[in-house]
Amino acid sequence: TQTQHQKDLAWWYIKTGSVSTILATYAEVFQDFSDLKKIIFVDPHKRYYANQPDPRYKVAEVLKYLQQISHAEMETVGV
């Protein structure tokens, strides 16, 4: 589990473009990426990748769109 400080640092690295690869979980998909180059989608079959409360979304669909708009490479592991 990450501390709030660790989460804040991760957000800052993403925002400033210091990080260009993400290990995608449901919490990371809505960050404000400035220089995304690679997305690693881990265990896409897990049930928690489908959001239940409204608005409903599936993380795989969000990542596919994110890949298209950022022209990032996407790798899926744990299939």
Side-chain angles (χ1 to χ4, degrees), residues 2-3 6 10 12 17 22-23 25 27-28 30 32 35 41 45 49 53-55 58 61 63 71-72 76-77:
Q2 289 183 319
T3 66
Q6 290 169 322
W12 181 251
I22 62 164
L23 248 156
T25 65
E28 279 77 33
F30 297 111
D32 186 12
D35 189 26
F41 190 21
H45 60 281
Y49 283 124
D54 287 331
K58 293 188 177 174
E61 293 173 9
L63 289 178
H71 305 288
T76 305
V77 295

Side-chain angles (χ1 to χ4, degrees), residues 1 5 33 37 46 54 64 70 72 74-75:
T1 306
H5 178 68
F33 300 100
K37 303 233 185 280
K46 297 290 184 182
D54 287 331
K64 191 172 189 175
S70 65
M74 186 148 82
E75 178 183 344

Side-chain angles (χ1 to χ4, degrees), residues 6-69:
Q6 290 169 322
K7 290 177 185 178
D8 292 343
L9 278 176
W11 176 86
W12 181 251
Y13 293 146
I14 290 168
K15 177 74 174 166
T16 60
S18 299
V19 172
S20 60
T21 301
I22 62 164
L23 248 156
T25 65
Y26 61 94
E28 279 77 33
V29 299
F30 297 111
Q31 297 287 343
D32 186 12
F33 300 100
S34 64
D35 189 26
L36 185 61
K37 303 233 185 280
K38 185 172 184 176
I39 302 164
I40 302 171
F41 190 21
V42 180
D43 292 330
H45 60 281
K46 297 290 184 182
R47 64 176 169 72
Y48 53 76
Y49 283 124
N51 190 35
Q52 295 304 316
D54 287 331
R56 292 182 183 210
Y57 63 89
K58 293 188 177 174
V59 172
E61 293 173 9
V62 173
L63 289 178
K64 191 172 189 175
Y65 180 74
L66 185 60
Q67 177 192 21
Q68 291 172 351
I69 63 172

